[in-house]
Amino acid sequence: MTRKSYVFTSESVSEGHPDKLCDRVSDAVLDAFLTEEPNARVACETFATTGRVVVGGEVGLSSKAATDAMMARIDGIVRDCVRDIGYEQDEFHWNTLQVQNYLHGQSAHIAQGVDRDGAGDQGIMFGYACRETPELMPAPIQYAHAILRRLAEVRKSGQEPSLRPDAKSQLTLRYEGGKPVEVMSIVLSHQHGSESQTSADVRTIVEPYIREILPSGWISDATVWHVNPTGTFVIGGPDGDAGLTGRKIIVDTYGGAAPHGGGAFSGKDPTKVDRSAAYAARYLAKNVVAAGLADRCTLQVSYAIGVAEPQSIYIDTHGTGAVPDEIIERAVTRSMDLTPRGIRTHLGLNKPIYARTSAYGHFGRAPEADGGFSWEATDLVAALKKAV
């Protein structure tokens, strides 16, 4: 039987975390190519360290002239990302860092399979949804993201000028009857501007915002707080630790509350099923729960490189299904075309909508008017109910 009473922990990292900075650059490069051509091919990886950002990978536009013109913009794209995140440190400053660009044309051997509308790679992808939050996300990761997003807002607005871009949060929640009811511990490490500031000083700044985010009654006198537990945190970002695209895949998804197929998202155009099929899996799982067909839903889908149709679809509602899981599986296949082209068309993924996904989670966000976070919509509810 599924456990009903337990504690569970998830973490998040801010947009200024070295790995997230790299995700941002990779997705900003992707957006730039998709703005130029909706069918652009991009697999962009970024590495950042003290005073340096290195960009590499495979890209493709319809002409060499268009590709060359885009290559000339990479330096500015990188600096704009770093400036927007807020890095103006002596050893990592948007204006003085060195940018190295090693992007090159896409492999013809990979392109041949995608050009036939097949998947860009083999692999397994997972989607998940549950009733723990209004967004149908696991509560620990949803609120860990929300805390850092709120702190980024007050940092950038100038309301809290002593905060700096790099930060990590972690929440441990206690569950009763399968529902989150109490915060057992809060861990927050936030970069700050002065070595004279103590951990207590930083807690004084951040605590009101944390209390603002978390549901009423979840924080009690028994809640354990660890704010900057190691002490001074002035040197942060890529100056303090190297960063790399795709190293925060659990932060990006469900905070460990659900399986992950292993593929990163950022820097990959939507022909790569690592990204697009993971979005589709979340979309389907969320709609299953929103339709009242289950209180929890895990969905797995798998692909073979160059082959359009998925190799398998699997659903587990963890004993919460209103109908048998195999009936929901059949309903899912009738309600959405899960070929790579079908996913891109249904969710409108050939758009420059990806830089905004690079921090604070790819899931649990509100759908946006320009097509951003389209996979968070619950517009498949009626079709799923009819198919069931």
Side-chain angles (χ1 to χ4, degrees):
M1 293 180 63
T2 302
R3 292 181 65 187
K4 297 293 185 182
S5 298
Y6 54 93
V7 296
F8 193 82
T9 303
S10 294
E11 71 157 346
S12 178
V13 297
S14 73
E15 64 197 77
H17 184 281
D19 296 332
K20 284 284 120 192
L21 181 144
C22 292
D23 286 345
R24 171 69 175 275
V25 169
S26 292
D27 274 336
V29 170
L30 170 61
D31 280 354
F33 274 83
L34 290 175
T35 299
E36 186 72 17
E37 292 182 12
N39 293 317
R41 301 288 165 75
V42 178
C44 176
E45 307 292 344
T46 303
F47 168 71
T49 187
T50 302
R52 187 183 305 265
V53 174
V54 181
V55 179
E58 298 185 330
V59 296
L61 291 173
S62 57
S63 71
K64 184 178 184 302
T67 302
D68 289 345
M70 186 59 67
M71 291 296 188
R73 294 178 51 199
I74 298 301
D75 184 277
I77 290 170
V78 172
R79 295 183 193 278
D80 286 347
C81 289
V82 176
R83 178 169 53 185
D84 181 68
I85 289 170
Y87 278 114
E88 296 185 343
Q89 298 172 192
D90 290 344
E91 299 298 326
F92 196 80
H93 192 294
W94 62 268
N95 194 38
T96 59
L97 61 83
Q98 182 178 355
V99 178
Q100 295 174 259
N101 177 13
Y102 297 103
L103 292 168
H104 59 84
Q106 184 185 42
S107 163
H109 292 169
I110 292 176
Q112 65 186 352
V114 178
D115 290 341
R116 295 196 302 264
D117 291 336
D121 202 353
Q122 70 176 49
I124 59 174
M125 299 85 208
F126 286 93
Y128 181 73
C130 62
R131 294 197 182 279
E132 294 179 21
T133 63
E135 298 82 7
L136 304 185
M137 282 286 288
I141 188 65
Q142 189 70 10
Y143 290 112
H145 286 323
I147 287 168
L148 292 184
R149 190 161 56 243
R150 180 64 177 134
L151 291 173
E153 289 171 357
V154 297
R155 171 178 64 85
K156 288 184 167 183
S157 71
Q159 189 173 339
E160 298 295 349
S162 68
L163 297 181
R164 295 294 182 265
D166 198 355
K168 302 178 78 171
S169 66
Q170 184 171 286
L171 284 179
T172 299
L173 302 186
R174 181 173 67 85
Y175 286 71
E176 282 186 4
K179 298 180 180 180
V181 296
E182 180 185 9
V183 179
M184 301 293 288
S185 71
I186 298 168
V187 182
L188 181 80
S189 294
H190 208 302
Q191 185 186 10
H192 53 96
S194 171
E195 293 193 6
S196 66
Q197 288 177 296
T198 65
S199 297
D201 294 331
V202 176
R203 176 172 172 174
T204 298
I205 294 169
V206 303
E207 183 172 344
Y209 302 108
I210 294 173
R211 290 183 177 274
E212 170 190 318
I213 290 297
L214 293 173
S216 177
W218 279 22
I219 298 176
S220 70
D221 292 341
T223 300
V224 177
W225 292 73
H226 296 290
V227 177
N228 284 23
T230 62
T232 302
F233 183 14
V234 172
I235 299 173
D239 185 30
D241 190 11
L244 193 65
T245 299
R247 284 204 298 201
K248 289 293 179 285
I249 59 175
I250 301 303
V251 170
D252 285 343
T253 53
Y254 308 103
H260 193 298
F265 300 157
S266 289
K268 296 178 181 178
D269 74 69
T271 67
K272 280 73 171 176
V273 285
D274 274 348
R275 181 168 218 160
S276 57
Y279 289 175
R282 161 63 179 172
Y283 173 68
L284 290 169
K286 184 175 183 180
N287 276 270
V288 165
V289 174
L293 300 178
D295 291 334
R296 291 175 61 201
C297 180
T298 299
L299 185 149
Q300 185 207 58
V301 63
S302 67
Y303 291 87
I305 188 169
V307 180
E309 294 293 335
Q311 302 300 290
S312 64
I313 297 171
Y314 166 79
I315 283 179
D316 182 2
T317 59
H318 309 277
T320 71
V323 296
D325 291 351
E326 56 269 25
I327 292 178
I328 301 177
E329 286 173 356
R330 289 197 292 270
V332 161
T333 60
R334 293 170 185 158
S335 302
M336 183 178 180
D337 177 359
L338 285 172
T339 64
R341 179 180 289 276
I343 292 170
R344 297 196 301 273
T345 300
H346 190 108
L347 297 178
L349 298 182
N350 288 101
K351 301 175 181 177
I353 55 174
Y354 296 104
R356 70 194 75 170
T357 70
S358 62
Y360 314 120
H362 291 246
F363 308 132
R365 312 280 285 272
E368 298 177 346
D370 65 351
F373 301 102
S374 59
W375 50 94
E376 290 297 309
T378 53
D379 55 0
L380 206 64
V381 165
L384 284 171
K385 288 181 175 180
K386 182 179 179 180
V388 166

